[in-house]
Amino acid sequence: PDTVRLLSSSQVITSVVNVVKELIENSLDAGASSIDVKLENFGLDRVEVRDNGQGIKAVDTPVMAVRHFTSKICRHEDLEHLETYGFRGEALGSICAVAEVAVTTKTEEDEISTQYTLDLTGKIVSQKPSHLGQGTTVSVMKLFKNLPVRRQCFSSTKKCKEELKKVQDLLMAYAIIKPELRLMLVHNKILLEGFFPKPGADYSSTSTSNPDKTFIFVNNRPVQHKEIMKLLRQHYAAQYADDQARNRYPTLMLKISVPPSSVDVNLTPDKTQVLLHNKVTTKLNLNQIDPLQAYSERN
Ligand code: ADP
Ligand code: MG
């Protein structure tokens, strides 16, 4: 039965775009007005779709990913006035057969949201409380992990780019037909958190005329990274020119969070130097960081 399930699922779920489409349609069917799509490594490592829809009722969660379960039709006649994208109850179950799936959901009635981890057959294997608000988040990890040939086929740079373009086009299509919908796509998001005091702020007590008080972290690992240091210095020079002129140097801290797949920490034995994918470095836009409230350090 495992082989049969894998074969039929692999016909329903054929690509990253396909996964995104099924998940978005489920979100729309759930009445979502806001949908966030996040991809890591072109969706091959992770596709995550978060919505603010009605959520999945607790009674439905054990069967949500069971093949042919659908909450959308009860009787045969319902098919005649179908107003939902889905009605076959095939998508979620099929995705489970070809990837690792977690579903986090909260209805209006639920006090808090719950994250369910599903197995290959769509059964819940574990559950835990979660902090997310009303709606549903479906995470699909390691797509086609058990179909190595297909995964390989989607892994070439050319194919990856083609597929990403298809995802963008698909989202565009839904955005056009649903102008009231808030729809977001993020690919390999880099989270930047900086500790930059406001220029001109009272950080005089740290002005030890040492412009090198700079800390960089990649995924919480303190690192040295020439390029990023250079970016940071340039940013610093532009933002804090007046301070610099007065020989005042704040401590700068930059925390970068990236998908583990885009960083190589094994450059030096002590792991203080990391190699980031070229794209990550060029995407760093330090202007997106607001200088934090001034801190005053009392000696
Ligand atoms: P279908 O959409 O054909 O019903 P799916 O396999 O796509 O089948 O989804 C199975 C069921 O899981 C849906 O009928 C619905 O009850 C629930 N579900 C899936 N995704 C969501 C979502 N984003 N919000 C609310 N319910 C969902
Ligand atoms: Mg569906």
Side-chain angles (χ1 to χ4, degrees):
D2 282 358
T3 317
V4 175
R5 184 179 298 114
L6 183 58
L7 281 176
S8 58
S9 299
S10 65
Q11 283 170 351
V12 180
I13 299 304
T14 53
S15 62
V16 169
V17 201
N18 194 209
V19 172
V20 174
K21 179 172 183 289
E22 292 294 345
L23 298 184
I24 287 188
E25 292 190 344
N26 281 346
S27 296
L28 292 172
D29 285 347
S33 61
S34 170
I35 304 178
D36 283 280
V37 180
K38 275 192 214 162
L39 305 181
E40 278 174 26
N41 186 20
F42 299 90
L44 290 172
D45 288 356
R46 179 192 286 263
V47 175
E48 188 178 285
V49 175
R50 173 172 305 185
D51 69 50
N52 65 349
Q54 67 198 18
I56 304 173
K57 287 200 198 97
V59 291
D60 285 342
T61 51
V63 286
M64 63 189 164
V66 168
R67 289 299 281 293
H68 308 301
F69 166 81
T70 178
S71 59
K72 295 166 194 174
I73 50 171
C74 305
R75 293 160 300 153
H76 190 257
E77 298 85 80
D78 289 346
L79 273 175
E80 284 165 30
H81 26 84
L82 198 65
E83 284 175 17
T84 52
Y85 288 102
F87 59 89
R88 284 201 296 248
E90 245 177 347
L92 220 43
S94 300
I95 296 172
C96 285
V98 297
E100 290 175 10
V101 180
V103 178
T104 308
T105 195
K106 179 184 176 307
T107 64
E108 210 175 4
E109 289 76 46
D110 298 334
E111 296 256 312
I112 56 159
S113 62
T114 306
Q115 184 185 69
Y116 301 92
T117 307
L118 308 175
D119 71 5
L120 280 175
T121 66
K123 280 204 206 80
I124 295 172
V125 286
S126 69
Q127 66 183 72
K128 61 176 185 190
S130 153
H131 67 283
L132 299 182
Q134 188 184 328
T136 304
T137 300
V138 180
S139 300
V140 177
M141 284 135 320
K142 302 186 188 162
L143 185 62
F144 302 139
K145 60 170 187 169
N146 47 4
L147 295 167
V149 177
R150 186 172 306 182
R151 192 171 161 98
Q152 187 63 37
C153 151
F154 279 105
S155 299
S156 79
T157 315
K158 184 163 171 276
K159 189 81 177 164
C160 278
K161 285 187 178 157
E162 278 172 21
E163 290 293 301
L164 184 59
K165 175 85 174 45
K166 283 187 199 163
V167 172
Q168 288 165 334
D169 290 348
L170 177 76
L171 295 203
M172 206 69 90
Y174 286 110
I176 290 168
I177 196 66
K178 306 246 174 204
E180 70 287 356
L181 179 71
R182 183 193 152 278
L183 195 55
M184 283 272 290
L185 172 66
V186 173
H187 179 232
N188 283 354
K189 183 180 162 78
I190 304 167
L191 182 65
L192 283 183
E193 293 166 276
F195 191 87
F196 296 174
K198 283 202 170 93
D202 176 25
Y203 48 78
S204 48
S205 57
T206 62
S207 68
T208 50
S209 65
N210 175 9
D212 290 332
K213 265 199 172 173
T214 302
F215 299 94
I216 298 174
F217 300 87
V218 173
N219 293 350
N220 286 332
R221 196 189 287 278
V223 298
Q224 285 143 19
H225 194 287
K226 275 192 187 149
E227 258 182 283
I228 295 175
M229 190 69 92
K230 203 174 136 201
L231 272 173
L232 204 58
R233 290 249 170 80
Q234 284 168 356
H235 180 80
Y236 169 78
Q239 298 271 317
Y240 301 86
D242 288 352
D243 291 316
Q244 239 174 332
R246 282 182 287 155
N247 219 15
R248 287 154 45 112
Y249 300 97
T251 301
L252 304 180
M253 192 272 258
L254 181 68
K255 204 178 138 191
I256 304 169
S257 309
V258 290
S261 62
S262 51
V263 38
D264 180 359
V265 291
N266 292 318
L267 219 53
T268 53
D270 65 355
K271 299 178 187 143
T272 55
Q273 303 207 352
V274 292
L275 196 62
L276 289 170
H277 277 189
N278 238 340
K279 280 202 196 104
V280 175
T281 326
T282 51
K283 265 204 238 162
L284 282 182
N285 176 8
L286 298 178
N287 287 322
Q288 80 184 61
I289 302 174
D290 285 334
L292 290 188
Q293 279 295 323
Y295 65 101
S296 43
E297 208 177 273
R298 307 264 171 245
N299 288 338

